[in-house]
Amino acid sequence: MADQASPLQQIAAGSNAVDLINENFDAASPAMLYGRDARTTTLLTWGYVGGRFGNALIANGTVVLTPSTTNYVVASRTTGVVSASTLLADWDAPENVRLYKVTTGTAAVTGYEDHRQSIAGVGGSGTGDVTGPAASTDNALPRFDGAGGKTLQGSGVLVSDVDEISGYRAHRNAQTGTAYAAQAGDAGKVIDLSNASAITLTLPNNLPVGWCCTLVQAGAGQVTCSAAVGATLRNRQGHAKLAGQWAMATLHVRTNAGGTAAEYVLCGDTAA
């Protein structure tokens, strides 16, 4: 007996079955993304059906399988591009979505498992499958636990009911050489510079507006800030150096026209 609760049209005797079947396939087509395409699956070639993956439009395509082994067919969570590999690491990689586990003989597919249910929510909005601890601290910010994108853990950083932040610590970037170039990843960090000889801190021209960090001269070698080609260093007193051992200063990017003309402001315990 037909399931009367089915959202799809029922195919009844005497109906225009071909039209109804095609209409049902059209309605179900978004759920068929990466489905096995029998038209192009042959021997060691695995065909799949395309569709909408987040904001990307995936075309029908094929991948070539390796004979006499287990093949892992996956899609990139970022681009939706499909690939096949014999490496279990690719199957388990958090950056990939599992599609099919395919076993092969010397010249053809011998069996496969469909794992496409893991596509739900990938490439678009989430589906509510994020999990967290059984209890939490009021006002504590959550953070991801691992790289799977689904598990949260508590943190010691608190945001009060009036938006006051507490419990955070600066990340210390310890540099012991005589030359270092500031990085985008140094934003919000304390760059601890320590060497007996003079140290040059290069300021690249491409760091974004709002980037800032704290500088500490922890050794005898004096730290000099040197703006790279296209960048500019500003200081009220015309200083470009830290004053000496244990001096501390703040560095901030206030403008960057075109992304290649960063303008830095240096302030604190500085010297000419």
Side-chain angles (χ1 to χ4, degrees), residues 24-123:
N24 281 341
F25 273 122
D26 181 65
S29 60
M32 296 180 185
L33 175 64
Y34 299 129
R36 175 179 174 274
D37 191 341
R39 300 168 299 179
T40 55
T41 297
T42 178
L43 300 178
L44 292 174
T45 297
W46 184 266
Y48 59 89
V49 177
R52 180 66 62 181
F53 184 87
N55 293 323
L57 184 60
I58 307 299
N60 294 350
T62 61
V63 289
V64 177
L65 305 176
T66 301
S68 303
T69 189
T70 298
N71 290 257
Y72 302 103
V73 181
V74 300
S76 165
R77 289 180 182 271
T78 304
T79 64
V81 173
V82 177
S83 61
S85 168
T86 59
L87 301 176
L88 185 60
D90 289 337
W91 185 248
D92 292 333
E95 63 269 22
N96 290 333
V97 181
R98 294 177 174 181
L99 301 180
Y100 288 93
K101 184 184 291 187
V102 186
T103 54
T104 56
T106 56
V109 171
T110 57
Y112 63 88
E113 298 174 5
D114 188 343
H115 290 259
R116 288 177 300 138
Q117 69 274 12
S118 61
I119 295 175
V122 177

Side-chain angles (χ1 to χ4, degrees), residues 9 11 15-26:
Q9 302 179 82
I11 311 300
S15 65
N16 188 343
V18 173
D19 288 344
L20 293 178
I21 290 171
N22 286 333
E23 289 169 0
N24 281 341
F25 273 122
D26 181 65

Side-chain angles (χ1 to χ4, degrees), residues 249-265:
T250 298
L251 198 59
H252 165 66
V253 177
R254 66 176 298 270
T255 64
N256 192 342
T260 57
E263 180 186 25
Y264 295 83
V265 177

